[in-house]
Amino acid sequence: MRIITCIVLILTMVFIGCKDYKQENVVREGEHPIKIEVTLNKGAYNAGETINVRIGIENHNSKSVSIETISLKIVNISEGLSFRTLELKEIENRWDGKKKYTEITEIDLPSNIKKGAYGIYLVLKEEGYIKEETYQTFFRVIDNNELTVFDIETEKVDNVPVFKLDGGMSAEYIVEKSAENLSSGISHSWKVNAPGSGPNHVLATPNYLEKSVSKTVDFYNETLGINTEIETVLITTGFPSIPYISNTLKAPVLPMHYLVSVNTVKEIQTILKTANDNGIASYATLSHDPSVPYAVSWVKLLELPKEYKDFIKQHKVKNVVVLGATGTSGGETKAKQLLYDGSIKGEYANKSIYIMYPGTSPDDVKTLNEKIVDLKDFKQQESYIRIADWESGINQKQITNFKEGAKSVSPSIFVVTITAEDLGRLYALGGYSTIAMMNKNKEKFDGVKGVVFNPYLISHPVIEMKKGFVPLLYWQLVGAEYTVYNMENDLFKAIKHFYPTTDVKELSLWLNSTRNFGAKWSANNLMNELTKKGYSNFIENNYEVDEVWNLSDGLDSPCELLFKEIKESSGFDSLKHWNNSLKPLTIKDIEELSSIFGGFQVETN
């Protein structure tokens, strides 16, 4: 029964520019009995659009209560400027105990509204209580060129699938690369936000995580076929060896986290609340990355979402492999948890947020506060802690929950975990698994022909393997001496184990840098170091181009050159036939690699 006669929104207020917004300090006099929740029909709008607002009001108390005033404030939280007040008038003054009411109303956005994230606050004054102002949710004003979820465009060029990632970073990249591997097609790394720079940013909306999960599953179903049976699925993060491990297992990758660009804590707070309210258990890390102009957050799954379980069931998956680094001493692991909600208890709790500190210098702290404009409004724990690496790490809670989630689909599913304390050992697994797969299919290979030095993040596992190259994966900001040391003291040992007659000094060394990955300086540093060691058989790229598919710019990126090479030699139909004929590695094969080379562990069921 309708118990409020009407709600009239005073919409004649205008957005007030150039005025700092400051929230009142409110001293609460006990728990307010009136609870109000504001939700919107979508998360992003263009200027001039209309927002549909749902306002749910409930008296949680068994006693009656009077509402004196109630209004909504809309604040540009991206800049802390401008607000609009929408006063809710003519609400029935007296609310009986346990009564509920829902109002759907509309807000018209001005045609000249500035792009950014806008927070919605509720201001409520109840009789006998001090006025309370609470943050409810946010929406984003965007234009048609901005992303709110990553995208992988599929283009057919001479009937060859070409995959072009836009937005996201390493985790989204491995979805694209899985498609390249499984279809025997080609892909670039990602579209760049500027020449030689990082990816286009994906801007936050409240349902960001749900959209990312759906995008992944829908992309695979469209690319692989919704009823295609899949032997193995890999659940992991996005570090550089994953495309190679995915290729050798012939397994698509379901990411355990996704990257979003923000400049407020409130955006992540809302993403986590929305996801967890919708049954997707998750937490987040938040920091800055120089490759994108915003702060960035990895929003991390704590359990397998329903769409992942449905994917596993739909494709009759037999093996689920969970992979990640468990160490907390290397990588980006220094953090402080935000203490924004007293109900969030324990490490890696649902809705928990960790601020990551790449360093602790004044400049680093300053950068964090510049990139996350409301960080100063949130209390952080006193001392620094070490948590799972924000890009490659996995924690025990995730491992346990992912295993249980896979088993809940079917008890017959074989669940495997591949973990390492040292992330470097999982980098090395990309090379080990490639060589092992070549050896397992030795009748289709004429030994190892070369080493491809692939910086973060560039790879073409199927084509590289067809050419007889094994990957040496490295982070381009480490010294060339360290990378060459790993080649000689680790990768060469693996090559010699499977191909003992190989003369490693005669191998071709492909310095596979591009302007946006490693650049000329990285390739030159490697060449200088390798030359000092007596190597001379180099293959170089054009280091003035990005690894981006763009046939109209007159520049040949590595992916375009590989496309031409395959097309003009054996052809992509032949590549696909060859690739489909290869026997993938089994879990037993990975276990053998662990026992031979060490440093990572394989556990079953």
Side-chain angles (χ1 to χ4, degrees):
M1 178 179 176
R2 187 180 176 96
I3 61 172
I4 294 182
T5 56
C6 66
I7 289 183
V8 179
L9 289 176
I10 308 301
L11 298 175
T12 56
M13 294 284 191
V14 297
F15 281 81
I16 304 171
C18 302
K19 180 176 179 180
D20 288 338
Y21 170 77
K22 295 183 180 178
Q23 185 174 336
E24 292 182 44
N25 288 324
V26 177
V27 179
R28 302 183 66 171
E29 296 181 347
E31 190 71 20
H32 288 240
I34 296 293
K35 303 298 180 187
I36 301 179
E37 185 171 17
V38 178
T39 55
L40 311 177
N41 62 315
K42 59 180 184 176
Y45 302 85
N46 292 104
E49 279 196 86
T50 297
I51 304 175
N52 291 317
V53 184
R54 180 185 182 276
I55 305 167
I57 308 174
E58 180 179 359
N59 180 5
H60 280 226
N61 205 325
S62 58
K63 298 178 181 180
S64 296
V65 64
S66 293
I67 294 177
E68 296 181 359
T69 61
I70 181 172
S71 61
L72 299 180
K73 271 186 177 178
I74 303 176
V75 180
N76 183 333
I77 56 176
S78 295
E79 298 182 10
L81 299 174
S82 310
F83 67 89
R84 184 177 187 177
T85 300
L86 301 112
E87 192 172 352
L88 308 177
K89 292 284 192 178
E90 298 185 19
I91 295 179
E92 183 176 313
N93 179 263
R94 198 75 181 166
W95 279 65
D96 293 336
K98 303 299 183 182
K99 283 190 176 180
K100 300 179 181 180
Y101 174 74
T102 298
E103 174 73 9
I104 306 295
T105 191
E106 294 182 344
I107 301 172
D108 293 326
L109 295 175
S111 60
N112 62 346
I113 186 172
K114 193 172 185 178
K115 292 191 299 182
Y118 287 80
I120 296 183
Y121 294 78
L122 182 88
V123 184
L124 176 65
K125 177 66 175 71
E126 301 166 51
E127 184 180 20
Y129 293 84
I130 292 175
K131 183 187 291 186
E132 182 183 46
E133 182 174 303
T134 56
Y135 169 75
Q136 292 285 312
T137 187
F138 78 98
F139 64 91
R140 183 171 292 281
V141 176
I142 61 171
D143 63 34
N144 292 330
N145 295 319
E146 292 177 313
L147 298 167
T148 58
V149 67
F150 77 96
D151 183 58
I152 302 175
E153 178 190 353
T154 304
E155 179 186 2
K156 287 291 184 74
V157 179
D158 296 334
N159 208 36
V160 178
V162 179
F163 303 102
K164 294 177 283 187
L165 173 64
D166 193 6
M169 200 174 270
S170 57
E172 295 81 359
Y173 164 89
I174 59 176
V175 175
E176 173 196 46
K177 289 299 169 180
S178 294
E180 176 182 337
N181 293 339
L182 294 167
S183 68
S184 303
I186 194 79
S187 68
H188 66 197
S189 289
W190 51 54
K191 295 181 181 180
V192 293
N193 60 54
S197 189
N200 289 321
H201 39 265
V202 175
L203 298 171
T205 56
N207 62 342
Y208 163 77
L209 185 56
E210 296 93 308
K211 289 193 299 183
S212 299
V213 168
S214 295
K215 174 67 76 169
T216 297
V217 171
D218 291 345
F219 170 73
Y220 279 135
N221 285 336
E222 292 167 8
T223 303
L224 306 178
I226 194 168
N227 294 314
T228 300
E229 292 190 17
I230 297 172
E231 185 85 6
T232 302
V233 160
L234 182 57
I235 299 172
T236 185
T237 61
F239 48 93
S241 60
I242 297 302
Y244 295 91
I245 300 168
S246 164
N247 180 48
T248 57
L249 293 173
K250 292 189 180 292
V253 178
L254 297 177
M256 64 175 67
H257 63 195
Y258 294 90
L259 187 76
V260 66
S261 295
V262 300
N263 64 358
T264 68
V265 172
K266 293 182 185 70
E267 293 164 82
I268 300 303
Q269 176 185 343
T270 300
I271 287 171
L272 291 173
K273 180 182 185 304
T274 304
N276 281 274
D277 285 352
N278 288 327
I280 302 181
S282 49
Y283 79 103
T285 56
L286 175 60
S287 191
H288 63 88
D289 188 303
S291 66
V292 290
Y294 287 71
V296 290
S297 173
W298 286 114
V299 185
K300 297 172 173 287
L301 299 172
L302 283 167
E303 298 175 0
L304 292 187
K306 181 179 182 299
E307 287 190 80
Y308 279 11
K309 292 180 182 180
D310 290 345
F311 181 86
I312 291 169
K313 182 178 181 180
Q314 177 73 30
H315 294 277
K316 297 181 172 59
V317 173
K318 297 178 182 178
N319 306 307
V320 171
V321 178
V322 180
L323 189 153
T326 57
T328 59
S329 59
E332 294 175 278
T333 61
K334 185 180 290 186
K336 285 187 176 183
Q337 186 174 356
L338 287 187
L339 307 177
Y340 76 96
D341 183 338
S343 67
I344 298 173
K345 305 289 185 182
E347 193 175 48
Y348 307 119
N350 293 6
K351 298 189 291 185
S352 58
I353 301 173
Y354 292 90
I355 302 298
M356 308 302 299
Y357 285 83
T360 54
S361 68
D363 284 346
D364 187 64
V365 175
K366 179 183 177 184
T367 300
L368 278 171
N369 281 280
E370 288 173 347
K371 297 271 190 173
I372 310 169
V373 298
D374 63 349
L375 182 58
K376 60 184 179 300
D377 299 331
F378 289 81
K379 184 179 179 181
Q380 301 179 43
Q381 65 185 121
E382 290 291 330
S383 302
Y384 293 103
I385 58 172
R386 294 280 182 179
I387 64 170
D389 179 73
W390 82 321
E391 185 176 50
S392 62
I394 188 171
N395 61 64
Q396 187 56 53
K397 186 174 183 179
Q398 290 174 303
I399 292 173
T400 300
N401 290 345
F402 293 164
K403 290 168 68 174
E404 290 176 355
K407 284 290 188 182
S408 73
V409 177
S410 171
S412 65
I413 290 177
F414 191 61
V415 183
V416 182
T417 60
I418 303 173
T419 59
E421 283 281 325
D422 179 3
L423 173 60
R425 301 310 298 150
L426 294 178
Y427 266 57
L429 182 55
Y432 300 156
S433 61
T434 299
I435 303 165
M437 188 171 186
M438 292 171 68
N439 183 66
K440 186 169 186 173
N441 297 272
K442 62 179 62 178
E443 71 281 1
K444 299 182 185 297
F445 292 91
D446 185 22
V448 176
K449 301 299 182 183
V451 173
V452 53
F453 287 76
N454 278 343
Y456 173 106
L457 269 165
I458 180 172
S459 65
H460 298 283
V462 173
I463 296 175
E464 292 167 12
M465 189 167 61
K466 182 73 167 77
K467 290 163 65 70
F469 279 74
V470 297
L472 192 287
L473 307 168
Y474 69 99
W475 171 234
Q476 47 265 47
L477 296 184
V478 303
E481 298 87 349
Y482 178 75
T483 302
V484 173
Y485 176 88
N486 284 339
M487 178 190 73
E488 293 187 320
N489 293 277
D490 192 21
L491 186 63
F492 280 177
K493 288 182 179 179
I495 292 173
K496 284 288 192 179
H497 176 83
F498 289 104
Y499 294 93
T501 62
T502 302
D503 184 351
V504 294
K505 284 290 185 179
E506 294 300 315
L507 293 176
S508 295
L509 304 179
W510 180 6
L511 306 179
N512 195 25
S513 295
T514 60
R515 181 171 57 182
N516 58 331
F517 293 107
K520 186 174 183 177
W521 64 267
S522 175
N524 285 346
N525 288 343
L526 282 170
M527 183 180 290
N528 291 338
E529 182 65 21
L530 289 163
T531 300
K532 286 193 297 185
K533 295 276 190 174
Y535 302 97
S536 59
N537 193 11
F538 299 116
I539 300 173
E540 296 189 76
N541 289 352
N542 177 357
Y543 303 126
E544 304 302 322
V545 301
D546 295 329
E547 172 65 327
V548 174
W549 181 275
N550 182 1
L551 298 181
S552 67
D553 64 2
L555 299 173
D556 286 326
S557 62
C559 58
E560 293 167 354
L561 289 172
L562 288 174
F563 176 85
K564 292 177 182 178
E565 179 182 337
I566 297 299
K567 181 183 173 184
E568 293 171 1
S569 57
S570 57
F572 275 88
D573 286 342
S574 175
L575 177 70
K576 185 172 185 177
H577 177 77
W578 171 85
N579 189 27
N580 291 343
S581 73
L582 299 178
K583 297 186 290 287
L585 296 186
T586 64
I587 302 306
K588 184 178 179 180
D589 294 328
I590 302 293
E591 287 178 319
E592 289 180 3
L593 291 177
S594 175
S595 64
I596 294 168
F597 301 112
F600 62 94
Q601 297 74 45
V602 181
E603 297 182 6
T604 57
N605 279 345

